[in-house]
Amino acid sequence: MGRNLPNHFDIAALMDNWSVSIQLDKKNTAATIHQELRKHINEFDVETLITYYLFESRYYLILKDALNSVASLDNAKAHQDHFHDTHRYFLHLAEGILFYDEGDYQNALHYFEKAEYYIEHLDDPISIGEFHLRKAMTYYFLDITNLSVLHTARASKIFKSTKRLEFLLARTHMLQGLNYIDQLNYDSAEKSLLKALTIFKEKENLNFISSTNLNLGVLYVKRGLPAMAISYLNAALQGKQKRIELKILYLLTDCYWKSNQPSKAIACYKEGFQASIEENDMTKKWEFAMLHKKYEDRLNFEIVWQEGINYFQRVEDKYNVRLFSKELAQYYADNNQHDLAMKYYLLTLT
């Protein structure tokens, strides 16, 4: 693949190890291989160079460095005349992950489907399993649960084949748990999430330990068990994962109020509301404000909830429109305000 390289330097093997390290989220190993490969970049032939840039883009994605990931893709595209079908697969996969990480799941699905056109050219079962997991995750966030379940099952079948793939199997267990929650199959959800948590703890992957604890917290919230949710949510918060901190604080605030611990609820509310302002996260700012009115400031409950739902409509946040409209509609129904109840019940159908 490369030319003029020392005999002891097996570029193909190192590229393969780099790809697997990226797929298994082994950031330190991936960083070491990246440094070694970069020393020899001027000696790569064009095919090796393209592969290097495509894998480098994926490497930056596990570091959540979108700018450098895009730059690496642009470097690869500069040699697009030399692409073969495997290159095209990894290009579209990386493009899909970029959109997924931005929360643009429709565009992510578009690029994953472009990648799928070339998947038959892959001879690596790990990459095929990862593809199905990526697609399953995207379908989950698009609320297409049946297709998410289908691709999760395909990924699981591959990852169960060897202990080496336990990390990816754990990610699959976590997604299975989330799908079970959506299907209201809470016992199966609990089993899948606890399996995932056990493996992530064995792997000492703090990022996914926090995410799984959060998802277990979500499960127990939905089961109406706020006291159980609190222990998992606090464990998730201790992981200090910035990207999920506001969601954890929001759920903790709600659980503390539901379990009659108002002083702890207020403390979490103040921390979360202030953080949402500092991070300019308008969605979470409204969520915290609406939660406060629900429990502490009932005089302003209706107006703030109406304004919050109007905001979610403007930004096309259909999930929050449905979530908060359902509760507000029930409030109006309980108070015999049937016209307003009907208005908000209709919004739950959007």
Side-chain angles (χ1 to χ4, degrees), residues 309 313 321-322 325 342-350:
I309 291 168
Q313 285 182 292
V321 170
R322 292 193 296 267
S325 293
M342 182 58 67
K343 172 184 175 180
Y344 286 100
Y345 274 132
L346 289 173
L347 288 181
T348 67
L349 304 176
T350 59

Side-chain angles (χ1 to χ4, degrees), residues 89-120:
Y89 169 81
F90 284 110
L91 169 67
H92 297 318
L93 181 74
E95 289 170 329
I97 297 172
L98 277 163
F99 279 111
Y100 178 92
D101 286 351
E102 292 171 359
D104 186 345
Y105 303 115
Q106 199 63 58
N107 268 318
L109 181 61
H110 169 73
Y111 282 100
F112 289 148
E113 288 178 340
K114 290 183 74 171
E116 192 167 17
Y117 181 79
Y118 301 103
I119 200 168
E120 65 184 30

Side-chain angles (χ1 to χ4, degrees), residues 36-45 49 52-53:
E36 184 63 28
L37 286 168
R38 194 162 50 184
K39 296 175 186 175
H40 298 275
I41 192 170
N42 293 328
E43 303 166 64
F44 295 164
D45 60 31
L49 188 64
Y52 168 82
Y53 282 132

Side-chain angles (χ1 to χ4, degrees), residues 170 173-174 191-201 212:
H173 283 318
M174 184 161 71
K191 290 176 184 176
S192 292
L193 291 172
L194 289 173
K195 284 180 184 177
L197 185 61
T198 298
I199 296 173
F200 290 139
K201 284 182 175 178
T212 312

Side-chain angles (χ1 to χ4, degrees), residues 286-309 323-335 337 344:
W286 273 108
E287 289 177 0
F288 276 108
M290 294 165 81
L291 197 60
H292 180 261
K293 304 310 171 192
K294 175 180 176 179
Y295 290 105
E296 287 289 322
D297 185 10
R298 294 294 290 181
L299 288 176
N300 292 305
F301 167 73
E302 291 181 46
I303 185 64
V304 171
W305 273 54
Q306 289 172 359
E307 290 176 355
I309 291 168
L323 179 69
F324 289 103
S325 293
K326 181 179 180 180
E327 191 163 344
L328 189 56
Q330 188 62 53
Y331 166 81
Y332 283 128
D334 292 343
N335 286 278
Q337 295 175 268
Y344 286 100

Side-chain angles (χ1 to χ4, degrees), residues 67-189:
L67 288 178
N68 274 319
S69 179
V70 171
S72 296
L73 282 187
D74 288 341
N75 286 333
K77 289 177 186 177
H79 305 282
Q80 207 154 355
D81 289 346
H82 298 277
F83 271 29
H84 51 60
D85 286 342
T86 305
H87 290 147
R88 294 183 184 96
Y89 169 81
F90 284 110
L91 169 67
H92 297 318
L93 181 74
E95 289 170 329
I97 297 172
L98 277 163
F99 279 111
Y100 178 92
D101 286 351
E102 292 171 359
D104 186 345
Y105 303 115
Q106 199 63 58
N107 268 318
L109 181 61
H110 169 73
Y111 282 100
F112 289 148
E113 288 178 340
K114 290 183 74 171
E116 192 167 17
Y117 181 79
Y118 301 103
I119 200 168
E120 65 184 30
H121 299 284
L122 300 181
D123 56 10
D124 171 20
I126 302 178
S127 294
I128 295 170
E130 186 202 15
F131 171 80
H132 288 297
L133 177 58
R134 292 281 180 187
K135 203 167 184 188
M137 290 160 59
T138 306
Y139 278 131
Y140 169 78
F141 283 107
L142 288 171
D143 291 326
I144 309 175
T145 305
N146 288 341
L147 288 179
S148 181
V149 169
L150 173 67
H151 284 277
T152 303
R154 290 177 179 174
S156 181
K157 185 176 180 180
I158 293 171
F159 298 146
K160 285 178 179 177
S161 64
T162 173
K163 189 172 178 63
R164 178 173 175 239
L165 304 182
E166 267 194 333
F167 169 74
L168 291 170
L169 180 61
R171 292 188 65 177
T172 307
H173 283 318
M174 184 161 71
L175 183 56
Q176 283 175 327
L178 294 174
N179 280 320
Y180 283 135
I181 290 173
D182 280 358
Q183 295 172 331
L184 309 182
N185 186 349
Y186 295 138
D187 288 341
S188 294

